Amino acid sequence: MAMPVNVPHVGENLEAAMKSQIVPDQEFLLQGSVLDTSLGVVIDRLRGLCDNADILPETFHDHEVVFVLKDFSAMSTPGPASQGVMLRVRRAMDYPDLPYQLRYVGYPELGNYPALLRNCLDIPVSNNVCEFLTELGAKLDHEFIAKGFIMKKGRIKVTVFKMYKMGIGMAKDNLEQMTMSHMVELSVLTTKTDMSVAEDLRALADQLKPLVQLERIDYRRLGP
Amino acid sequence: MQREERVMDATLDAVLQRVVDIKGSLQELLVKIEREGEQGDWPSYLNSFSVISAQIYTLMKLLKNEKTPILRNYLTLPLQLNAESDEKLLVATEGRVPSFSHDFVPNMLRTKPEPDMEQKHQALEAKMAQVNSDTAQKQINIHNRVVKHVMDLVNTAREEWETETAARTSQPQTCSLNETQILVAALGTGKGFKIRAQPPGPSPTIQQPPPQISTASKAVSAVKTNIKAATSIHPYSR
């Protein structure tokens, strides 16, 4: 039922991956931000460092809706159990024909990894996924707009984007920016055993210093 | 006299050492270019360049040092030419100069300008002798003035450029840790995106509380604590 109709082959791929026990379901992540005034410099530097330096970086304009699935009748106690599971639905506003993307992101793993390591599953879904999730009992938690650039260097995905709050009236043009900075993320999907790629991630992050400080940041330690 | 010679020897040794260093780094760079070519990564090339430029800088500093005798005041004269190949010379020049012969010496120890240069120089000397000394003085003055003007222009340009670079290095603020944290928290937990404002209560949980509490918390804080107490009592009474 959750299997999307328009992209069946992805589901098959997933099944094959599960059978062979090699699932790239771990994500290494480094995060940082850059002030809007220095965005051009960072983009130029990234274009030089990443693949396809000769063409302009690809842009994206996504709308993300985050649902929470948990036992809403239970008493609200502090701790991860009461926070439920966050399910993120993304759609490309600039390419309405593309399938929606459903994403599960786990909590950051504890341990001394070179980058933040977390469980991560992505799957393309049909555009009625929101209704489906609501039927499952998930509740809409929040939503936002992300607009920016995407580049790649080998297996590393580099995104530079700005997040906007959605206005009260939910109008698509009524956007309020979150901060005066662009978010910079370096991420790579891998299996847990593959540590070498995390070192590549660090090397790329070091080359962006001191323009951007990319670090492993656990949002749960940032305080309320 | 002996002291001067000793200073000279020490200086030459030091210069030689620096030059050997530079040569070593250049060879390393050449080997790297040959082996890695375009596959080599930029940072390591840049490292090599900065090493070489630092070595050249130390060499120049050594030459400009007050204790270093001014080398151009010393003349080197070829006393004897020999067409026979010389083993020691071959070793000293790492196989580049086999003999101190007529082929090499004119290039290596030149003391006289090239013939066509010499001709030009003589033509200029002759022209100078013809010109009246007063007119010559006037021309020199005009020339000096023009040169001074150009110097001023260059100096102001340099000053401007230097202040500009200084200003650029003095404002390295390109990112803000605070904003990074706000953005990461927003991405991770949706903090700041939620349609209802986060209640400014003492609740340490990041998770949005159930709606009935959040609407109540917009009232006076005393009321909120009452409701909180009520909700916590509720399960036990059931």
Side-chain angles (χ1 to χ4, degrees), chain B residues 27-210:
Chain B
Q27 273 168 347
E28 260 172 49
L29 179 64
L30 283 176
V31 168
K32 189 182 291 187
I33 291 174
E34 232 164 70
R35 277 212 196 125
E36 299 175 15
E38 284 180 15
Q39 273 88 48
D41 63 324
W42 263 118
S44 85
Y45 276 125
L46 291 179
N47 278 346
S48 305
F49 285 141
S50 61
V51 165
I52 292 168
S53 96
Q55 283 170 337
I56 291 177
Y57 179 73
T58 32
L59 176 66
M60 296 310 284
K61 221 167 113 183
L62 181 76
L63 289 177
K64 281 179 190 160
N65 196 328
E66 281 174 20
K67 284 176 189 163
T68 309
I70 301 168
L71 293 175
R72 66 163 165 268
N73 289 352
Y74 292 84
L75 288 180
T76 315
L77 289 177
L79 294 179
Q80 194 188 3
L81 297 180
N82 194 354
E84 300 281 309
S85 69
D86 185 342
E87 284 290 321
K88 279 182 193 163
L89 191 66
L90 205 60
V91 172
T93 59
E94 292 178 359
R96 272 171 293 138
V97 183
S99 71
F100 201 61
S101 70
H102 304 74
D103 266 354
F104 286 98
V105 172
N107 284 327
M108 299 182 96
L109 299 175
R110 183 184 300 154
T111 53
K112 207 169 139 81
E114 283 178 35
D116 50 342
M117 282 298 289
E118 210 172 9
Q119 261 178 16
K120 275 186 191 168
H121 190 239
Q122 272 168 0
L124 285 175
E125 290 264 356
K127 201 177 168 189
M128 201 176 77
Q130 281 169 9
V131 177
N132 180 333
S133 71
D134 263 10
T135 3
Q137 194 60 46
K138 234 178 257 173
Q139 280 178 348
I140 290 170
N141 284 343
I142 292 172
H143 179 255
N144 281 348
R145 218 178 301 150
V146 170
V147 168
K148 192 167 168 282
H149 187 63
V150 171
M151 278 295 286
D152 283 349
L153 279 181
V154 171
N155 278 336
T156 35
R158 194 181 77 169
E159 262 168 39
E160 266 174 32
W161 183 68
E162 271 172 359
T163 44
E164 208 174 273
T165 32
R168 216 183 302 149
T169 48
S170 69
Q171 41 153 245
Q173 175 81 358
T174 53
C175 58
S176 144
L177 189 65
N178 191 24
E179 301 227 325
T180 306
Q181 296 191 344
I182 293 175
L183 288 169
V184 170
L187 203 59
T189 66
K191 186 180 168 193
F193 284 135
K194 308 213 171 158
I195 306 142
R196 297 164 296 241
Q198 192 90 13
S203 161
T205 48
I206 309 162
Q207 196 57 45
Q208 181 81 12

Side-chain angles (χ1 to χ4, degrees), chain A residues 31-35 38 68 70 75-76 78 83 86 88 140-144 161 163-165 170 178-183 185 207 210-213 217 219 222 224, chain B residues 41 43 172-177 179-196 203-211 231-232 235-236 238:
Chain A
Q31 292 174 308
S33 76
V34 59
L35 293 174
S38 311
V68 170
K70 66 169 178 179
M75 209 178 67
S76 150
Q83 295 187 3
M86 276 197 176
R88 297 160 181 274
L140 190 143
D141 192 66
H142 63 274
E143 56 185 326
F144 62 92
F161 59 93
M163 289 187 280
Y164 298 90
K165 299 176 198 177
M170 293 296 126
M178 186 72 194
T179 57
M180 299 295 283
S181 291
H182 273 68
M183 185 90 190
E185 282 193 335
Q207 284 168 22
L211 274 175
V212 187
Q213 298 286 342
I217 305 169
Y219 59 82
L222 291 179
Chain B
D41 63 324
Q173 175 81 358
T174 53
C175 58
S176 144
L177 189 65
E179 301 227 325
T180 306
Q181 296 191 344
I182 293 175
L183 288 169
V184 170
L187 203 59
T189 66
K191 186 180 168 193
F193 284 135
K194 308 213 171 158
I195 306 142
R196 297 164 296 241
S203 161
T205 48
I206 309 162
Q207 196 57 45
Q208 181 81 12
T231 45
S232 56
Y236 295 102
R238 241 195 278 190

Side-chain angles (χ1 to χ4, degrees), chain A residues 21-29 106-121 155 188-199:
Chain A
Q21 292 289 310
I22 308 171
V23 190
D25 61 347
Q26 303 289 325
E27 185 188 48
F28 279 116
L29 179 74
Y107 289 112
E109 303 251 339
L110 297 174
N112 192 19
Y113 298 108
L116 189 124
L117 178 64
R118 63 185 189 183
N119 215 293
C120 177
L121 285 170
R155 290 168 60 191
V188 63
L189 268 184
T190 176
T191 53
K192 206 187 243 173
T193 47
D194 187 5
M195 285 294 157
S196 61
V197 73
E199 296 296 336

Side-chain angles (χ1 to χ4, degrees), chain A residues 21-221:
Chain A
Q21 292 289 310
I22 308 171
V23 190
D25 61 347
Q26 303 289 325
E27 185 188 48
F28 279 116
L29 179 74
L30 287 174
Q31 292 174 308
S33 76
V34 59
L35 293 174
D36 293 349
T37 43
S38 311
L39 176 70
V41 190
V42 171
I43 292 288
D44 284 346
R45 172 125 13 138
L46 276 171
R47 279 184 69 190
L49 291 169
C50 292
D51 302 345
N52 302 327
D54 48 335
I55 53 170
L56 283 172
E58 201 180 328
T59 58
F60 67 90
H61 183 177
D62 287 356
H63 175 200
E64 183 164 317
V65 185
V66 181
F67 288 87
V68 170
L69 193 58
K70 66 169 178 179
D71 186 1
F72 288 99
S73 62
M75 209 178 67
S76 150
T77 48
S82 72
Q83 295 187 3
V85 174
M86 276 197 176
L87 294 167
R88 297 160 181 274
V89 177
R90 254 196 194 226
R91 68 186 179 95
M93 295 180 74
D94 44 354
Y95 296 101
D97 296 341
L98 288 182
Y100 284 29
Q101 197 85 14
L102 180 62
R103 168 170 247 236
Y104 164 75
V105 176
Y107 289 112
E109 303 251 339
L110 297 174
N112 192 19
Y113 298 108
L116 189 124
L117 178 64
R118 63 185 189 183
N119 215 293
C120 177
L121 285 170
D122 273 298
I123 187 152
V125 289
S126 59
N127 57 11
N128 56 358
V129 61
C130 291
E131 287 97 83
F132 174 69
L133 288 174
T134 319
E135 289 293 317
L136 274 183
K139 280 193 182 167
L140 190 143
D141 192 66
H142 63 274
E143 56 185 326
F144 62 92
I145 303 280
K147 245 165 135 174
F149 305 91
I150 178 164
M151 280 166 269
K152 70 185 184 74
K153 176 183 170 62
R155 290 168 60 191
I156 301 174
K157 182 170 95 175
V158 183
T159 47
V160 181
F161 59 93
K162 190 158 176 119
M163 289 187 280
Y164 298 90
K165 299 176 198 177
M166 305 274 295
I168 304 297
M170 293 296 126
K172 299 286 173 281
D173 48 355
N174 183 14
L175 296 177
E176 185 191 338
Q177 61 183 14
M178 186 72 194
T179 57
M180 299 295 283
S181 291
H182 273 68
M183 185 90 190
V184 182
E185 282 193 335
L186 308 183
S187 67
V188 63
L189 268 184
T190 176
T191 53
K192 206 187 243 173
T193 47
D194 187 5
M195 285 294 157
S196 61
V197 73
E199 296 296 336
D200 294 348
L201 211 62
R202 272 245 85 97
L204 183 61
D206 285 344
Q207 284 168 22
L208 285 173
K209 280 179 184 171
L211 274 175
V212 187
Q213 298 286 342
L214 287 156
E215 282 155 42
R216 44 176 298 190
I217 305 169
D218 189 342
Y219 59 82
R220 292 172 301 174
R221 295 195 187 159

